[in-house]
């Protein structure tokens, strides 16, 4: 799916699709990531769908790993694996943010922490939410909004291995921190109204959302006063959400000791949760 690329995507894609009928090249004028994914879904033919952003990488076994559980269990709706980041020089780096309260129930866990990047999962067509699948009105958080609708009542399976390498990006589509925070809040608040969420999970999710806004305000907007206000909201909403404390220590450790980033992951669990 070519969303108005200005590099050599068109020529490469046309060559591949001309020599292999499994590939189809679809082009549209640039409309944004949500519109591109929606059109890709509409033009897809298979019963299983997986997504991969242009600058990220699948491993050689990724598709086989994600599809295998569907062959064993025809009732599955969704499979996923873990991910790692890599720098421009190819160095593998751990995921900075994680959920130390992981329950193993994907819908609960993604309410608390956006742990499923695009490219790390495969979804059965019958489990897709009603269109538009991705909400193009969001400037931030459209992936999580999609997944929250998919996972609510889905039968899921984890494949238990790394399936995605995420390229560390030097620039970001979310450079406007205020807009990113507004989009995060708008995308999550409607789910917090769901009566099926246990009170403890809801408190943790609301606290984690405030912590996420603090991260955006601080590291994207460089507004540390705003970041502090969001952080205090996170602590006040759920003082026993130790994500709020361990993640700060994790960030400090990885900043002070960049050559030994795996230590915090080995002490507190898998860095790709």
């Amino acid at each position: 799916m070519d969303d108005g690329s200005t590099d050599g995507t068109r020529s490469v894609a046309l060559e591949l699709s001309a020599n292999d009928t499994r590939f189809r090249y679809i082009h549209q004028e640039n409309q944004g990531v949500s519109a591109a994914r929606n059109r890709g879904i509409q033009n897809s033919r298979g019963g299983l769908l997986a997504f991969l952003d242009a600058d990220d990488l699948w491993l050689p076994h990724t598709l086989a790993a994600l599809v295998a559980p569907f062959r064993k269990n025809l009732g599955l709706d969704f499979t996923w694996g873990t991910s790692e980041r890599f720098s421009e020089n190819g160095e593998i780096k751990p995921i900075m943010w994680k959920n130390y309260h992981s329950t193993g129930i994907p819908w609960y866990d993604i309410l608390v922490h956006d742990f499923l990047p695009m490219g790390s999962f495969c979804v059965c067509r019958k489990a897709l939410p009603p269109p538009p699948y991705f909400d193009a009105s969001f400037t931030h958080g459209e992936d999580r909004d999609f997944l929250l609708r998919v996972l609510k009542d889905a039968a899921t399976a984890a494949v238990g291995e790394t399936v995605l390498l995420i390229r560390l990006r030097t620039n970001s589509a979310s450079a406007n921190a205020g807009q990113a925070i507004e989009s995060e809040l708008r995308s999550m608040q409607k789910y917090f109204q769901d009566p099926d969420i246990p009170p403890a999970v809801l408190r943790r999710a609301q606290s984690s959302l405030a912590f996420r806004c603090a991260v955006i305000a601080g590291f994207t907007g460089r507004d540390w006063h705003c970041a502090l206000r969001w952080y205090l909201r996170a602590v006040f909403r759920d003082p026993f959400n130790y994500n709020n404390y361990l993640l700060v220590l994790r960030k400090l450790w990885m900043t002070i000791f960049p050559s030994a980033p795996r230590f915090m992951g080995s002490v507190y669990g898998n860095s790709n949760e």
Side-chain angles (χ1 to χ4, degrees):
M1 182 65 227
D2 180 358
D3 187 43
S5 298
T6 57
D7 54 16
T9 295
R10 181 179 178 86
S11 60
V12 173
L14 285 173
E15 180 180 353
L16 287 172
S17 57
N19 296 322
D20 191 331
T21 56
R22 295 175 302 171
F23 295 97
R24 284 194 299 150
Y25 173 67
I26 301 168
H27 175 271
Q28 67 182 20
E29 295 302 318
N30 182 258
Q31 298 178 39
V33 63
S34 292
R37 289 173 183 156
N38 288 338
R39 188 167 179 195
I41 293 172
Q42 291 160 2
N43 283 273
S44 62
R45 297 169 179 169
L48 300 175
L49 295 96
F51 305 84
L52 181 64
D53 289 346
D55 46 0
D56 297 335
L57 299 175
W58 275 338
L59 298 170
H61 66 269
T62 291
L63 286 177
L66 291 175
V67 169
F70 288 102
R71 293 188 173 134
K72 297 177 182 177
N73 182 354
L74 297 179
L76 276 182
D77 298 312
F78 189 92
T79 61
W80 82 95
T82 57
S83 58
E84 292 185 323
R85 302 181 305 163
F86 71 99
S87 62
E88 291 300 325
N89 63 9
E91 181 183 1
I92 298 296
K93 294 181 175 292
I95 301 295
M96 182 66 70
W97 311 112
K98 60 178 290 179
N99 177 18
Y100 290 104
H101 295 290
S102 180
T103 66
I105 301 173
W107 188 58
Y108 291 169
D109 289 338
I110 204 164
L111 282 165
V112 173
H113 174 61
D114 188 7
F115 72 101
L116 289 170
M118 298 299 293
S120 68
F121 60 84
C122 182
V123 58
C124 186
R125 183 179 294 277
K126 65 181 175 62
L128 289 173
Y133 310 103
F134 290 87
D135 190 335
S137 70
F138 291 134
T139 61
H140 197 79
E142 70 286 338
D143 301 350
R144 193 179 190 184
D145 176 73
F146 169 80
L147 286 166
L148 282 164
R149 286 180 287 142
V150 168
L151 291 171
K152 172 68 189 292
D153 298 306
T156 67
V159 303
E161 54 186 305
T162 298
V163 298
L164 176 69
L165 299 180
I166 303 169
R167 189 184 303 272
L168 283 169
R169 299 164 177 90
T170 54
N171 58 346
S172 171
S174 305
N176 187 322
Q179 191 177 52
I181 288 173
E182 187 277 333
S183 196
E184 286 281 352
L185 295 173
R186 186 163 60 90
S187 68
M188 293 301 297
Q189 290 297 345
K190 60 182 177 181
Y191 296 105
F192 291 163
Q193 308 305 314
D194 194 313
D196 292 335
I197 304 175
V201 174
L202 178 60
R203 286 194 303 273
R204 190 151 296 146
Q206 291 172 326
S207 173
S208 295
L209 176 61
F211 183 91
R212 186 176 176 92
C213 291
V215 171
I216 294 171
F219 292 100
T220 301
R222 303 297 175 184
D223 185 341
W224 300 106
H225 288 93
C226 180
L228 178 60
R229 290 194 297 271
W230 277 114
Y231 179 75
L232 292 176
R233 290 185 201 180
V235 172
F236 179 79
R237 184 67 187 94
D238 186 0
F240 299 105
N241 179 7
Y242 48 82
N243 284 333
N244 293 332
Y245 316 114
L246 289 180
L247 291 179
V248 174
L249 295 176
R250 181 181 174 85
K251 173 64 175 176
L252 287 172
W253 176 267
M254 292 183 179
T255 301
I256 297 171
F257 302 105
S259 62
R262 295 283 181 180
F263 177 76
M264 291 289 283
S266 64
V267 171
Y268 294 113
N270 189 325
S271 66
N272 300 316
E273 286 181 5

